[in-house]
Amino acid sequence: MKVYFLGTGTSQGIPVIGSNHSVCQSTDSKDKRLRVSIWLSWDKYSYIIDCGPDFRQQMLVSNCQRIDGILYTHEHSDHTAGLDDIRPFYFKQGEIPIYAHQRVIANLKRRFDYVLKQKINIPEHLELNP
């Protein structure tokens, strides 16, 4: 199994906008971190844990070509705001199951109804698995 840490930063990413903290001012590449997301791959499987607002950039850098499912740990935006960026994977491969606690799924349905219901995006038959 390959575990690819796509992002390990805080909810605001590192550096934080407008911060004078020494880490945010650092020139060390290790102090440039995107928000949390993980890509797990093994054999022919490819799963994502959380996809926040940096998800598009993370996918471009990682060269991930397929997503077999997404696990959301909780409903905060820094873990879910990248749901829009799942659409190219859906258009290419079809349905992508989403796994989460029921409260997270309810939140996603409310916040991303335009993605989860419109045929031009991820259609309503997308699996939501509590």
Side-chain angles (χ1 to χ4, degrees):
M1 175 183 285
K2 180 179 177 183
V3 179
Y4 193 125
F5 291 92
L6 301 165
T8 59
T10 67
S11 62
Q12 297 177 39
I14 305 291
V16 174
I17 296 170
S19 174
N20 291 323
H21 189 279
S22 60
V23 172
C24 294
Q25 300 297 312
S26 171
T27 57
D28 185 341
S29 64
K30 292 180 181 177
D31 291 329
K32 312 291 186 234
R33 295 183 288 135
L34 300 174
R35 287 166 272 207
V36 168
S37 188
I38 298 171
W39 172 26
L40 302 173
S41 65
W42 69 98
D43 299 329
K44 60 179 182 161
Y45 301 105
S46 179
Y47 283 82
I48 298 296
I49 300 175
D50 292 329
C51 61
D54 300 324
F55 191 69
R56 178 183 175 277
Q57 182 179 358
Q58 292 166 336
M59 289 292 93
L60 291 171
V61 170
S62 70
N63 197 31
C64 178
Q65 297 296 309
R66 178 174 179 78
I67 296 176
D68 294 307
I70 305 165
L71 170 67
Y72 284 107
T73 59
H74 62 286
E75 63 272 30
H76 293 173
S77 290
D78 59 314
H79 291 259
T80 61
L83 183 59
D84 287 323
D85 296 320
I86 297 300
R87 291 179 293 173
F89 289 97
Y90 167 77
F91 296 143
K92 180 178 173 183
Q93 68 187 59
E95 293 184 28
I96 301 169
I98 293 175
Y99 302 92
H101 287 286
Q102 190 59 48
R103 73 168 200 283
V104 177
I105 289 174
N107 182 278
L108 292 173
K109 284 181 176 179
R110 201 170 41 253
R111 290 173 47 220
F112 294 99
D113 63 330
Y114 65 96
V115 173
L116 299 174
K117 291 182 182 174
Q118 293 179 4
K119 296 267 184 224
I120 60 168
N121 296 315
I122 298 176
E124 59 191 343
H125 65 273
L126 174 76
E127 289 182 42
L128 295 172
N129 302 301

